[in-house]
Amino acid sequence: MSDALVQARDLRKRFGAFEAVRGIDVDVARGEVFGFLGPNGAGKSSTMRMIACVSPRSGGSLQVLGMDPGSDGPRIRARIGVVPQLDNLDTELSVRENLEIYGRYFGLSRRRVRAKAAELLEFAQLTERAEDPVEPLSGGMKRRLTIARSLVNDPELLLLDEPTTGLDPQARHLLWDRLYRLKREGVTQIVTTHYMDEAEQLCDRLVVMDDGLIVAEGSPVELIERYSTREVLELRFLPEHRPAAGELAGLVERVEELPDRFLLYTADGERAQAEVARSGLRPLSALVRRSSLEDVFLRLTGRSLVD
Amino acid sequence: MSAPSAVPDVPLAPRLLPAGSYAGRARMLLLRSATASRRTWLAFVSGFFEPIFYLLAMGQGLGSLVGELPGPGGASLSYAAFIAPGLLAASAMNGAVFDSTYNVFFKLRYARLYDAMLATPLGPIDIALGEIGWALLRGGLYATGFLSVMAAFGLIASPWALLALPAALVVAFAFGAIGMAATSFMRSWQDFDLVTLAVLPMFLFATTFYPLSVYPRWLQLVVECLPLYHAVELMRALTTGAVHLGLLSHLGYFAVMIAVGVVLASRRLDALLLK
């Protein structure tokens, strides 16, 4: 037996003529937080649905918790938690009932779900809203409730599809904090995101997906080291002062030209900035920052992640 | 380490329903619906009154002009006693159809409730049986209420009428199953006009308000194909006590409806949600 909680080989998903996932290999180890990073349409959600046993694979092999989703779907689903991309809370039930009834779907006893709901309300900081209907909750609260709901069966594996999309920064940080806690408790997590900062914050290891394929794999730090430089100098110019990319190329290791700015990849941003000034160019603004996964993605695909 | 098995190239023997479609927990959906209905009890209660209004308006009002009608056993019946079992059948139908169409469509397309359920061990058959079961319970409650009203008005002529309650459950089950299957094919709220188009003429023409004998033979054949006709005839035989073995054919009709509806609804849910 492999000790991987999820193991995929040449995994594929076709919808008619369109192949959303075009043969990927994935191993997720127990206890880690694993990320699928990529733009919308990269195949992340299709992959997650296959792992969650709600979408039959079109090709390749897949094992989740050592079982085959094709034949053991209900047994696997009994042991995983799913946070879908779009909230699908039960709007006809109260906050507490959402947790209790969901637990009953897993076959938990009335007594067990009552205790579990109280514990999860505390975890999601929703105890005071327990008897309220779901609809008036804020986006962040709904998300926390959805995450709490996914934990009702004490899952060994938690699947989070775009967990913080559409949330304000404060709500995102609160959510990340809850996910950290789960990680410390040993819950294996698989997260999809198109936010670089989220992937850097949460993931021990991640794969970058583009167009149905995995284009890179590693820890956030490894990926940045491998595919980017330590620092990035961002330059913006007035249209009349904008140089050709070639004029900047000699100054640093690599230059990316975006519609609104240039990204200069270099080990030492300050020095590059000084050289730009010496060469007579007059940027409107110059910013030195550390490389991020955004840069990795740009390097790998030639496109930025969020349009 | 055991290599994960590949998807077989040869399709498995065709099954009626895919593997893992049923966790045996359909009753949890009943629990959910019962919990939810605590907040929507008004809509729930209104279903009791509709057939009673018809009974008062048509049975007492119109009935005073119509006089007596020949019942299924040959003995003459008051008009109210004639239409009451028809209304009983229609209320079982209406309750089940409403629940299994409008309510299911909303949960399927808008609330994404079934997606949430399928992330648990529940499968499409649990959902289909659970939702149809709720439609059945609701239809059964309405039928109980209406039967009590019939008894209070003195419109029940036979102890066989006690069997009208289980019969109403069978009728509700059948309409709920077909309703849910039909809902799975609907694309928008506009398609619900088709539900009205199917249900309303049945209510008016499937011998609810007058006997089959008013029609020419060819039209009788058409009416005899309608599910509500079988429900009305079954109820009328039971409440008037004109019971005979031929009534089993009505039950057979509903057994087929139930089987087709449950299988079709489960398969469609599978195709819609597990893609």
Side-chain angles (χ1 to χ4, degrees):
Chain A
M1 277 301 295
S2 145
D3 59 351
L5 281 197
V6 177
Q7 187 181 63
R9 292 292 176 269
D10 195 33
L11 181 61
R12 289 166 187 275
K13 182 70 199 183
R14 262 188 305 278
F15 298 101
F18 170 68
E19 200 168 25
V21 180
R22 303 193 293 151
I24 61 171
D25 292 355
V26 175
D27 290 273
V28 180
R30 191 174 288 276
E32 76 175 334
V33 177
F34 185 89
F36 285 100
L37 178 70
N40 293 330
K44 309 185 300 283
S45 291
S46 296
T47 305
M48 287 292 257
R49 284 178 53 83
M50 287 190 279
I51 296 172
C53 312
V54 292
S55 172
R57 62 188 185 272
S58 312
S61 68
L62 177 63
Q63 284 208 332
V64 181
L65 303 171
M67 292 178 277
D68 181 342
S71 52
D72 290 315
R75 277 167 62 201
I76 297 172
R77 294 200 302 261
R79 289 165 56 191
I80 65 177
V82 177
V83 178
Q85 191 167 352
L86 299 166
D87 287 321
N88 53 17
L89 295 163
D90 196 329
T91 52
E92 291 180 90
L93 301 177
S94 72
V95 169
R96 184 194 302 280
E97 287 163 353
N98 257 281
L99 298 173
E100 292 188 353
I101 298 282
Y102 207 72
R104 302 284 279 158
Y105 297 156
F106 283 91
L108 304 176
S109 71
R110 193 179 302 258
R111 191 145 49 117
R112 176 97 185 94
V113 293
R114 199 168 298 157
K116 194 70 197 173
E119 175 195 324
L120 289 172
L121 285 168
E122 206 56 47
F123 171 83
Q125 294 172 290
L126 288 169
T127 305
E128 281 164 25
R129 307 294 297 265
E131 314 312 327
D132 290 2
V134 164
E135 210 44 67
L137 297 184
S138 73
M141 288 178 178
K142 281 184 186 165
R143 221 79 256 268
R144 295 208 301 277
L145 180 57
T146 306
I147 291 179
R149 189 185 68 175
S150 74
L151 298 171
V152 78
N153 58 328
D154 293 312
E156 294 162 59
L157 173 65
L158 189 59
L159 306 177
L160 300 123
D161 197 358
E162 306 275 352
T164 66
T165 296
L167 297 187
D168 61 52
Q170 201 189 346
R172 296 180 77 200
H173 281 279
L174 184 54
L175 210 68
W176 287 343
D177 172 68
R178 301 291 112 166
L179 297 179
Y180 277 134
R181 281 199 200 192
L182 292 174
K183 178 178 157 58
R184 278 206 305 273
E185 287 164 20
V187 179
T188 310
Q189 298 173 41
I190 303 181
V191 184
T192 74
T193 182
H194 58 252
Y195 294 122
M196 296 297 153
D197 54 342
E198 182 157 276
E200 292 185 60
Q201 285 274 340
L202 294 177
C203 298
D204 300 316
R205 214 156 55 79
L206 56 93
V207 291
V208 180
M209 279 190 85
D210 188 37
D211 204 15
L213 292 169
I214 290 175
V215 291
E217 177 174 359
S219 71
V221 175
E222 278 167 13
L223 287 172
I224 290 165
E225 271 177 10
R226 204 179 320 151
Y227 295 103
S228 191
T229 52
R230 204 170 74 86
E231 292 188 335
V232 186
L233 172 60
E234 292 199 11
L235 297 178
R236 287 167 203 269
F237 291 92
L238 288 172
E240 57 269 33
H241 296 149
R242 190 177 169 101
E247 293 179 55
L248 299 165
L251 303 176
V252 290
E253 275 183 49
R254 195 164 59 85
V255 177
E256 292 282 354
E257 183 175 5
L258 299 181
D260 63 332
R261 65 209 142 114
F262 289 97
L263 301 179
L264 281 64
Y265 289 94
T266 174
D268 187 342
E270 298 282 342
R271 216 181 69 193
Q273 192 178 354
E275 280 180 35
V276 166
R278 253 201 309 282
S279 65
L281 293 169
R282 292 171 51 203
L284 191 64
S285 72
L287 167 75
V288 177
R289 61 170 174 82
R290 295 178 68 86
S291 262
S292 73
L293 285 173
E294 179 85 49
D295 302 297
V296 171
F297 189 81
L298 190 63
R299 172 72 190 278
L300 287 167
T301 68
R303 288 177 291 114
S304 51
L305 201 56
V306 185
D307 297 322
Chain B
M1 165 187 139
S2 68
S5 59
V7 172
D9 293 330
V10 189
L12 299 166
R15 306 162 177 260
L16 210 48
L17 290 162
S21 305
Y22 185 49
R25 281 194 205 122
R27 68 184 183 285
M28 295 308 171
L29 272 93
L30 299 182
L31 179 70
R32 186 233 153 240
S33 295
T35 309
S37 71
R38 272 190 272 170
R39 252 178 290 283
T40 52
W41 60 272
L42 193 61
F44 202 88
V45 166
S46 67
F48 277 110
F49 291 104
E50 195 183 296
I52 296 171
F53 293 153
Y54 273 104
L55 185 64
L56 292 173
M58 317 282 274
Q60 306 301 324
L62 200 58
S64 62
L65 301 174
V66 173
E68 305 247 302
L69 256 74
S76 66
L77 284 177
S78 74
Y79 187 60
F82 182 85
I83 64 167
L87 293 170
L88 175 63
S91 83
M93 170 181 80
N94 283 330
V97 165
F98 184 83
D99 242 334
S100 65
T101 55
Y102 289 90
N103 290 353
V104 164
F105 188 75
F106 176 77
K107 293 179 205 167
L108 181 66
R109 302 281 176 174
Y110 293 90
R112 291 182 298 275
L113 206 60
Y114 302 141
D115 292 283
M117 290 175 184
L118 289 174
T120 76
L122 298 182
I125 299 180
D126 296 284
I127 294 175
L129 285 180
E131 292 294 65
I132 295 165
W134 180 249
L136 179 161
L137 272 183
R138 190 165 171 167
L141 278 174
Y142 292 162
T144 310
F146 192 73
L147 271 171
S148 322
V149 172
M150 280 174 72
F153 278 93
L155 300 175
I156 290 176
S158 159
W160 283 104
L162 282 177
L163 285 185
L165 181 57
L169 291 179
V170 171
V171 170
F173 195 173
F175 277 103
I178 290 295
M180 186 159 185
T183 302
S184 69
F185 289 98
M186 295 188 186
R187 294 146 300 172
S188 73
W189 293 110
Q190 271 78 45
D191 289 345
F192 282 89
D193 292 339
L194 295 172
V195 176
T196 312
L197 202 61
V199 168
L200 190 61
M202 260 203 288
F203 176 58
L204 294 174
F205 302 123
T207 71
T208 318
F209 297 106
Y210 43 79
L212 190 67
S213 56
V214 304
Y215 292 120
R217 184 62 195 140
W218 67 270
L219 207 50
Q220 289 182 1
L221 289 173
V222 173
V223 171
E224 282 171 359
C225 292
L226 301 174
L228 187 61
Y229 164 78
H230 293 274
V232 171
E233 292 304 307
L234 187 60
M235 298 300 179
R236 191 166 286 144
L238 290 170
T239 58
T240 58
V243 175
H244 55 95
L245 275 178
L247 294 180
L248 291 176
S249 70
H250 299 309
L251 288 178
Y253 186 100
F254 292 120
V256 172
M257 249 175 108
I258 289 168
V260 169
V262 170
V263 169
L264 195 58
S266 305
R267 288 179 65 118
R268 286 286 299 163
L269 282 181
D270 199 279
L272 286 173
L273 300 172
L274 301 174
K275 54 190 175 199

